[in-house]
C-alpha cells in the first residue's frame, strides 16, 4: 500500500527542512520579546531582523519595506483596507480589483466599500483567467485610492502582467497592491514594482500562520491593529520571532530552489495534462501558453461526475486534490473566480505540485486518476440512465 499522493500544494505545501530548523532553533532558545532592550529581547530581535533582510532581498526591496503578519489573509486585509482608508483621508473614494482575486482581497474590498460608502469596480477576467492590464487601467479614475490585482491566480494558475499595470499607473495617485501568495514559489516577484504586496509562508515551505506585507516605505497606510506600535506602527503585536525566522529561511530557500522547482513542476503538470486530457469528459482550464500559467498548477473540468463524489473517491483511492479552491472551507460549489471565467462543468479539479513532488508521485496519481475518473463517469451514467 502506497502513501497517498499529495497534489494540493497550492493549499499548503510541506515545511522545508531549512524552515523547520530555523523554527526549532528559535522555539528552543530562551528568547524574549523582540521589543525589549535586554539580551533575551535582543536575541529575538536578531531573529526578526535577519528574516526581514532575507525577505527584502528576495523581493528586491529594502528591509524597512517588510512587515510581518499572520499570513496571506492578514496581509491582504491590511493592504486593501489600510490603503483604502489612507486614500479616503486624501479624498479618494474609488477602488479597483478583479473578479478572480482570492476572497482575502475581494471580501475586504467589498467590506470597506460598503462600510465607508466607497465605489468598487470589479474588473472581469479573460476566459483563461488572466487580467487584461488595459481593462484595469481603463477602470482607474482620478479619485482611485487603490488598485489590487493578484500576481497569479490560485485556481487556474493564470499569471498576470503586473509590470504593465504598474507602468500604466506611473502618473496616477492610486496605490497598487498585488497578492503574490501563489506566485512566489515559482515566479520572480519584484516588490519594487508595486506599493504593497502579500506573501504567505506556508505556500512556499514556511510554517502556517506567518506571512509578509511588503508596504513600500513612504506609502501612507492606516493600521488594522493598534497597540504597541511594532513594525513601524503598521502592525502592532509581539513579533512571532520563531515563525518569522522560519519564514525568512523559507523565503531564501524558495528563491534558491525556484529554477529547479519551476522546471520539475512544469514537467510534472505537463505529464498529468498529457494523460488526463486524453480521458473522455476532461478539459483544461486556464491559460494554454506555458509563460502565462504557473508551472505548479493544472486545472481541469470533468463532465458527467459530481465534484464531491470525485474528490472523495480520489481521496479514498490515495490522491489528494482540490475541487475548486481550498481556503473556502470545504465548499464544493464553483468559486466566484471560476464563474467569472465562464467555466461551466459538473466538476472541477485543481492538481498542484510542489517542492516535495516526485515523478513517481505523478505516475502513482495517474494510475488512480485514470481509473477513478472513467469509473465514476460510467457509474454516474448508469445511475442517471440513457
Ligand atoms: N491569497 C491567495 C492567492 C491564496 O491562494 C491564499 C490561500 O490559499 C490566501 C491569499 C490566504 O493565505 P493564508 O492562508 O496565509 O491566509
Amino acid at each position: 500500500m502506497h502513501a497517498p499522493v499529495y497534489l494540493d500544494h497550492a493549499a499548503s505545501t510541506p515545511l522545508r527542512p531549512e524552515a523547520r530548523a530555523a523554527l526549532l532553533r528559535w522555539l528552543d532558545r530562551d528568547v524574549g520579546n523582540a521589543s525589549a532592550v535586554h539580551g533575551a529581547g535582543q536575541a529575538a530581535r536578531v531573529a526578526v531582523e535577519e528574516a526581514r533582510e532575507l525577505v527584502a532581498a528576495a523581493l528586491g526591496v529594502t528591509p524597512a519595506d517588510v512587515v510581518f503578519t499572520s499570513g496571506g489573509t492578514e496581509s491582504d486585509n491590511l493592504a486593501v483596507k489600510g490603503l483604502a482608508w489612507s486614500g479616503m483621508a486624501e479624498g479618494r473614494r474609488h477602488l479597483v480589483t478583479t473578479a478572480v482575486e482570492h476572497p482575502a482581497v475581494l471580501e475586504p474590498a467589498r467590506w470597506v466599500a460598503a462600510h465607508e460608502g466607497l465605489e468598487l469596480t470589479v474588473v472581469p477576467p479573460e476566459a483563461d483567467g488572466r487580467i487584461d492590464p488595459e481593462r484595469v487601467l481603463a477602470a482607474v479614475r482620478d479619485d482611485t485610492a487603490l488598485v489590487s490585482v493578484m500576481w497569479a491566480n490560485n485556481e487556474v494558475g493564470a499569471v498576470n502582467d503586473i509590470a504593465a499595470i504598474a507602468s500604466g499607473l506611473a502618473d496616477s495617485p492610486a496605490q497598487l497592491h498585488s497578492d503574490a501568495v501563489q506566485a512566489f514559489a515559482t515566479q520572480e516577484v519584484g516588490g519594487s514594482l508595486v506599493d504593497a504586496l502579500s506573501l504567505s509562508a506556508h505556500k512556499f515551505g514556511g510554517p502556517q500562520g506567518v506571512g509578509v506585507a511588503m508596504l513600500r516605505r513612504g506609502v501612507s497606510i492606516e493600521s488594522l491593529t493598534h497597540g504597541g506600535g511594532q513594525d513601524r506602527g503598521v502592525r502592532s503585536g509581539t513579533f512571532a520571532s520563531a515563525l518569522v525566522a522560519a519564514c525568512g529561511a523559507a523565503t531564501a530557500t524558495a528563491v534558491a530552489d525556484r529554477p529547479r522547482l519551476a522546471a520539475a513542476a512544469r514537467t510534472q503538470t505537463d505529464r498529468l495534462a498529457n494523460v488526463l486530457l486524453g480521458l473522455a469528459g476532461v478539459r483544461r482550464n486556464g491559460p494554454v501558453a506555458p509563460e502565462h500559467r504557473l508551472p505548479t498548477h493544472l486545472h481541469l473540468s470533468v463532465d458527467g461526475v459530481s465534484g464531491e463524489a470525485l474528490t472523495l473517491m480520489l481521496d479514498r483511492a490515495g490522491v489528494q486534490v482540490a475541487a475548486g479552491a481550498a481556503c473556502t472551507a470545504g465548499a464544493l460549489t464553483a468559486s466566484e473566480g471560476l464563474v467569472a471565467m465562464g467555466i461551466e462543468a459538473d466538476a472541477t479539479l485543481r492538481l498542484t505540485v510542489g517542492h516535495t513532488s516526485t515523478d513517481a508521485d505523478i505516475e502513482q496519481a495517474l494510475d488512480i486518476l485514470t481509473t477513478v475518473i472513467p469509473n465514476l463517469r460510467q457509474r454516474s451514467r448508469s445511475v442517471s440512465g440513457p
Side-chain angles (χ1 to χ4, degrees):
M1 185 69 187
H2 288 293
V5 181
Y6 183 69
L7 292 182
D8 200 11
H9 288 260
S12 203
T13 200
L15 203 57
R16 286 185 181 265
E18 296 82 353
R20 185 169 191 276
L23 184 64
L24 295 179
R25 186 165 68 246
W26 288 101
L27 276 179
D28 285 344
R29 281 186 60 171
D30 290 330
V31 292
N33 186 316
S35 301
V37 292
H38 49 60
Q42 289 310 295
R45 188 85 205 179
V46 167
V48 171
E49 296 313 323
E50 282 179 0
R52 203 190 298 282
E53 281 177 23
L54 292 172
V55 172
L59 293 175
V61 297
T62 63
D65 298 327
V66 173
V67 168
F68 289 104
T69 67
S70 62
T73 301
E74 187 190 334
S75 298
D76 285 342
N77 271 262
L78 175 57
V80 172
K81 293 184 203 155
L83 292 172
W85 278 322
S86 64
M88 269 175 66
E90 292 164 13
R92 294 200 296 280
R93 308 192 58 83
H94 176 235
L95 312 174
V96 177
T97 190
T98 85
V100 291
E101 297 300 311
H102 190 274
V105 165
L106 266 177
E107 293 307 319
R110 287 188 178 125
W111 184 89
V112 77
H115 280 73
E116 303 290 2
L118 306 181
E119 231 183 295
L120 172 66
T121 302
V122 179
V123 175
E126 305 306 298
D128 68 0
R130 282 189 300 153
I131 298 297
D132 180 351
E134 291 306 323
R135 287 177 98 158
V136 172
L137 296 171
V140 175
R141 316 189 310 211
D142 290 345
D143 68 339
T144 302
L146 169 72
V147 175
S148 180
V149 179
M150 69 201 323
W151 207 285
N153 178 256
N154 46 299
E155 296 184 282
V156 301
V159 178
N160 290 318
D161 190 349
I162 299 299
I165 297 172
S167 81
L169 287 176
D171 296 327
S172 162
Q175 311 289 1
L176 176 59
H177 165 251
S178 185
D179 175 336
V181 165
Q182 291 286 329
F184 186 77
T186 56
Q187 309 296 296
E188 240 179 78
V189 172
S192 59
L193 283 179
V194 296
D195 300 297
L197 187 115
S198 307
L199 299 181
S200 174
H202 73 103
K203 308 289 188 177
F204 55 85
Q208 297 177 346
V210 60
V212 170
M214 194 292 293
L215 300 169
R216 200 162 52 73
R217 221 180 153 83
V219 167
S220 139
I221 184 157
E222 272 300 324
S223 176
L224 302 187
T225 47
H226 298 92
Q230 288 91 342
D231 249 349
R232 43 188 252 233
V234 175
R235 205 266 187 176
S236 286
T238 299
F239 288 103
S241 44
L243 288 174
V244 165
C247 174
T251 307
T253 309
V255 169
D257 192 37
R258 227 183 232 155
R260 183 210 63 83
L261 172 59
R266 179 76 70 205
T267 306
Q268 291 168 354
T269 51
D270 280 353
R271 167 83 181 136
L272 286 167
N274 284 341
V275 176
L276 297 176
L277 292 174
L279 298 178
V282 178
R283 285 169 288 128
R284 175 184 215 139
N285 301 314
V288 175
E291 65 274 23
H292 293 150
R293 59 185 152 84
L294 295 176
T296 39
H297 288 47
L298 174 63
H299 197 274
L300 302 171
S301 286
V302 186
D303 286 327
V305 297
S306 114
E308 198 161 13
L310 183 57
T311 4
L312 285 176
M313 278 194 60
L314 288 173
D315 186 35
R316 229 175 283 155
V319 51
Q320 297 167 333
V321 300
C327 297
T328 39
L332 281 188
T333 47
S335 78
E336 234 183 298
L338 296 182
V339 172
M341 291 173 216
I343 293 173
E344 284 176 12
D346 296 324
T348 61
L349 283 185
R350 182 187 67 176
L351 313 178
T352 51
V353 299
H355 67 98
T356 54
S357 301
T358 64
D359 294 350
D361 287 343
I362 301 306
E363 297 312 314
Q364 192 184 325
L366 279 173
D367 282 347
I368 294 169
L369 285 154
T370 53
T371 309
V372 168
I373 295 175
N375 280 353
L376 196 58
R377 271 172 55 83
Q378 177 78 36
R379 216 188 297 172
S380 308
R381 253 208 309 273
S382 51
V383 169
S384 59

